[in-house]
């Protein structure tokens, strides 16, 4: 556990270059070429993390001020994905779940049930968290492990099904996303798109980035939209002109710089991926393979950033008006861009449809988060996880992550039923 924690403490920016260097050597790249690929991935992820951190640091205070300004008095506070990841990676399930997840991937590949070699090890916390909640609720390591691996299997099935559409829209060949949060919400995007297609009038609304630019000209360009949205969030937060202008520039910088960092990361990924395809096709003729990656590669798309920004005030509003909701979206508000990233291809890159899907996603997360707040607090307590400074005054049992999905919620509830 100590060794594993030391490796994980390095974070994706160090883990990913090492993984890609090793993969490059395994797939017969020269040492120099494998080093170049690994470092490009590392530099790209470093850039992505810096830009996302800038976004979170800029929008975080705005979100807090919006919460205070609109006077939301909800009792369950969103503790954020970093807290959830810490809980997952402090879980007693790690010795069972981590090897089990790797073995499951190998078995699926051997049985030709997947095309994905998933190297996104850091995001195992997404399956460790609900598994841990099942364990702490039932006291059964077997049930907790089973819940985690079932969720991982669901994520694999969705990743294989969504890979072609995602690769086409994002123009990234040979990658897939075994993501137990973002992937689980894809069926909602498919359902929303299908319903809108059948509603006269709504099915004519086209808010793709290209369509907006065509109608609005310079006002519809991503950098302009980002500037307007950033300034608008500052106004909603009750900020002065100077603060609004600063936030507008920060958000515009994210809109322009993030795609550049994604391009650098993809360049490194493609070096290894293309070589892997060459080698694997000789060994397994007729088979296709994808590399499982983090959804950070997807959030540089303008329709994702713009819609994610629009969803921040919307999430605050619906949290107040939803009957029976006890949860206040807070720390993870600025991370909404991640949870809508995999639905975009199935909403035809139409920001209107992605926004409607996002409202459903936020609604589900709020209700699931409210319901699981007690056991989440127990999991945080048992893991001795340090809470974010802006929520330490809240009673521990009332904390919950906003990354609760319908699949995760269902598995925790099923574990509770079986455990009883």
């Amino acid at each position: 556990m100590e060794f594993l924690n030391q490796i994980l403490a390095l974070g994706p920016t160090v883990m990913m270059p090492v993984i890609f260097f090793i993969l490059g050597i395994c797939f017969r790249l020269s040492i120099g070429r494998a080093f170049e690929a690994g470092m490009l991935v590392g530099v790209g992820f470093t850039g992505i993390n810096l830009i996302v951190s800038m976004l979170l640091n800029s929008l975080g205070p705005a979100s807090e001020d919006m919460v205070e300004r609109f006077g939301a008095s909800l009792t369950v506070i969103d503790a954020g994905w970093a807290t959830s990841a810490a809980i997952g990676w402090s879980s007693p399930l790690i010795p069972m779940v981590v090897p089990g997840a790797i073995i499951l991937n190998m078995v699926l590949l051997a049985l030709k049930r997947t095309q994905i070699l998933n190297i996104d090890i850091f995001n195992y916390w997404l399956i460790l968290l609900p598994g841990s909640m099942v364990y702490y609720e039932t006291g059964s390591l077997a049930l907790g492990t089973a819940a985690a691996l079932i969720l991982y299997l669901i994520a694999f099935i969705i990743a294989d099904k969504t890979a072609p559409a995602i690769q086409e829209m994002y123009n990234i060949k040979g990658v897939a996303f075994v993501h137990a949060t973002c992937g689980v919400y894809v069926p909602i995007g498919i359902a929303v798109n299908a319903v809108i297609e059948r509603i006269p009038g709504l099915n004519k609304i086209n808010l793709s980035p290209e369509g907006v630019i065509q109608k609005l000209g310079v006002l519809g360009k991503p950098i302009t939209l980002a500037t307007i949205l950033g300034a608008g969030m500052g106004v909603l937060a009750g900020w002065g002109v100077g603060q609004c202008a600063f936030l507008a520039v920060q958000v515009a910088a994210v809109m322009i710089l993030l795609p550049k960092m994604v391009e650098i990361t993809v360049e490194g990924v493609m070096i290894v991926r293309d070589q892997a395809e060459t080698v694997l096709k000789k060994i397994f003729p007729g088979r296709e393979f994808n590399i499982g990656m983090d959804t950070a590669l997807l959030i540089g798309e303008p329709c994702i950033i713009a819609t994610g920004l629009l969803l921040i005030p919307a999430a605050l509003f619906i949290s107040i008006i939803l009957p029976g909701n006890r949860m206040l979206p807070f720390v993870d508000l600025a991370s909404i861009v991640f949870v809508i990233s995999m639905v975009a291809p199935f909403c035809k890159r139409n920001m209107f449809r992605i926004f409607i899907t996002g409202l459903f996603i936020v609604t589900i997360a709020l209700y699931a988060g409210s319901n699981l707040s007690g056991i989440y607090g127990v999991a945080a307590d048992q893991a001795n996880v340090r809470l974010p400074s802006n929520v330490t005054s809240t009673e521990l049992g009332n904390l919950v992550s906003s990354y609760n999905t319908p699949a995760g919620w269902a598995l925790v509830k099923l574990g509770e039923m079986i455990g009883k």
Side-chain angles (χ1 to χ4, degrees), residues 1-8 87-96 98:
M1 285 292 296
E2 182 63 28
F3 173 75
L4 182 59
N5 286 333
Q6 289 178 2
I7 298 296
L8 291 169
I87 295 171
W89 283 117
S90 301
S91 170
L93 299 180
I94 287 176
M96 287 75 69
V98 172

Side-chain angles (χ1 to χ4, degrees), residues 51-64 230 233-234 237 239 243 246-251 254 334:
I51 295 167
V52 170
S53 294
M54 182 177 72
L55 178 66
L56 298 180
N57 291 334
S58 300
L59 295 182
S63 300
E64 291 180 32
M233 289 193 62
W239 288 0
Q243 288 177 296
F246 180 77
L247 183 58
V249 174
Q250 293 280 88
V251 173
V254 170

Side-chain angles (χ1 to χ4, degrees), residues 333-379:
L333 274 173
S335 300
I336 291 177
V337 289
F338 287 92
V339 295
I340 60 173
S341 60
M342 287 181 67
V343 308
F346 305 95
C347 293
K348 301 182 178 180
R349 294 182 69 241
N350 188 325
M351 290 185 287
F352 170 71
R353 300 184 184 192
I354 299 172
F355 181 78
I356 300 300
T357 301
L359 294 180
F360 279 99
I361 290 173
V362 169
T363 300
I364 291 170
L366 290 174
Y367 279 129
S370 297
N371 186 256
L372 295 179
S373 60
I375 185 58
Y376 183 93
V378 172

Side-chain angles (χ1 to χ4, degrees), residues 288-311:
E288 298 289 334
F289 293 92
N290 294 316
I291 295 176
M293 292 291 294
D294 192 318
T295 51
L297 290 183
L298 305 180
I299 63 172
E301 165 66 35
C303 72
I304 298 297
I305 300 176
T307 309
L309 292 172
L310 288 170
L311 281 167

Side-chain angles (χ1 to χ4, degrees), residues 166-205:
I166 289 175
Q167 290 173 13
E168 180 180 357
M169 174 185 146
Y170 289 98
N171 194 27
I172 307 176
K173 185 175 68 171
V175 296
F177 301 90
V178 188
H179 202 284
T181 293
C182 303
V184 169
Y185 285 124
V186 169
I188 297 174
I190 294 173
V192 168
N193 186 73
V195 171
I196 291 178
E197 282 285 358
R198 290 165 173 77
I199 301 177
L202 290 184
N203 58 10
K204 301 297 183 183
I205 298 176

Side-chain angles (χ1 to χ4, degrees), residues 14-30:
V14 176
M15 288 175 59
M16 295 306 288
V18 173
I19 290 172
F20 270 87
F21 176 77
I22 294 172
L23 280 175
I25 296 299
C26 291
F27 288 120
R28 304 172 193 170
L29 280 173
S30 67

Side-chain angles (χ1 to χ4, degrees), residues 23-348:
L23 280 175
I25 296 299
C26 291
F27 288 120
R28 304 172 193 170
L29 280 173
S30 67
I31 292 178
R33 191 67 167 155
F35 174 79
E36 179 186 10
M39 290 308 297
L40 281 171
V41 171
V43 169
F45 265 104
T46 299
I48 290 172
N49 286 341
L50 287 172
I51 295 167
V52 170
S53 294
M54 182 177 72
L55 178 66
L56 298 180
N57 291 334
S58 300
L59 295 182
S63 300
E64 291 180 32
D65 288 346
M66 277 191 283
V67 169
E68 292 181 8
R69 191 179 183 202
F70 291 110
S73 56
L74 300 170
T75 59
V76 177
I77 307 296
D78 158 30
W81 73 266
T83 301
S84 297
I87 295 171
W89 283 117
S90 301
S91 170
L93 299 180
I94 287 176
M96 287 75 69
V97 171
V98 172
I102 295 171
I103 292 170
L104 177 60
N105 191 177
M106 296 302 104
V107 170
L108 291 172
L109 281 169
L111 295 177
K112 299 182 180 180
R113 296 298 182 183
T114 186
Q115 297 178 332
I116 303 168
L117 175 63
N118 187 32
I119 62 172
D120 186 20
I121 297 172
F122 180 78
N123 278 327
Y124 278 8
W125 72 264
L126 293 166
I127 61 174
L128 284 164
L129 177 62
S132 298
M133 288 195 284
V134 170
Y135 165 65
Y136 291 126
E137 185 73 7
T138 64
S140 171
L141 286 171
L143 284 177
T145 301
L149 294 180
I150 289 171
L151 184 56
Y152 195 50
L153 180 60
I154 293 171
F156 254 105
I157 294 170
I158 294 173
D160 274 304
K161 297 292 185 182
T162 59
I166 289 175
Q167 290 173 13
E168 180 180 357
M169 174 185 146
Y170 289 98
N171 194 27
I172 307 176
K173 185 175 68 171
V175 296
F177 301 90
V178 188
H179 202 284
T181 293
C182 303
V184 169
Y185 285 124
V186 169
I188 297 174
I190 294 173
V192 168
N193 186 73
V195 171
I196 291 178
E197 282 285 358
R198 290 165 173 77
I199 301 177
L202 290 184
N203 58 10
K204 301 297 183 183
I205 298 176
N206 178 22
L207 292 183
S208 65
E210 294 79 12
V212 172
I213 291 173
Q214 185 177 3
K215 291 178 181 178
L216 299 180
V218 68
L219 291 176
K221 290 189 175 183
I223 191 170
T224 310
L225 285 175
T227 303
I228 294 171
L229 289 171
M233 289 193 62
V235 171
L236 289 174
W239 288 0
V241 175
Q243 288 177 296
C244 289
F246 180 77
L247 183 58
V249 174
Q250 293 280 88
V251 173
V254 170
M255 180 71 82
I256 298 302
L257 295 176
L258 195 54
K260 304 296 184 185
M261 294 301 103
V262 171
E263 287 178 13
I264 293 172
T265 308
V266 170
E267 182 182 351
V269 171
M270 288 301 103
I271 292 173
V272 174
R273 191 268 160 197
D274 291 344
Q275 179 65 17
E277 182 180 46
T278 301
V279 172
L280 290 173
K281 281 193 172 182
K282 291 179 181 178
I283 302 173
F284 305 103
R287 289 195 65 180
E288 298 289 334
F289 293 92
N290 294 316
I291 295 176
M293 292 291 294
D294 192 318
T295 51
L297 290 183
L298 305 180
I299 63 172
E301 165 66 35
C303 72
I304 298 297
I305 300 176
T307 309
L309 292 172
L310 288 170
L311 281 167
I312 291 174
L316 284 171
F317 176 72
I318 64 175
S319 72
I320 297 171
I321 65 171
L322 281 176
N325 172 56
R326 297 186 297 116
M327 178 175 168
L328 175 67
F330 192 54
V331 181
D332 268 340
L333 274 173
S335 300
I336 291 177
V337 289
F338 287 92
V339 295
I340 60 173
S341 60
M342 287 181 67
V343 308
F346 305 95
C347 293
K348 301 182 178 180

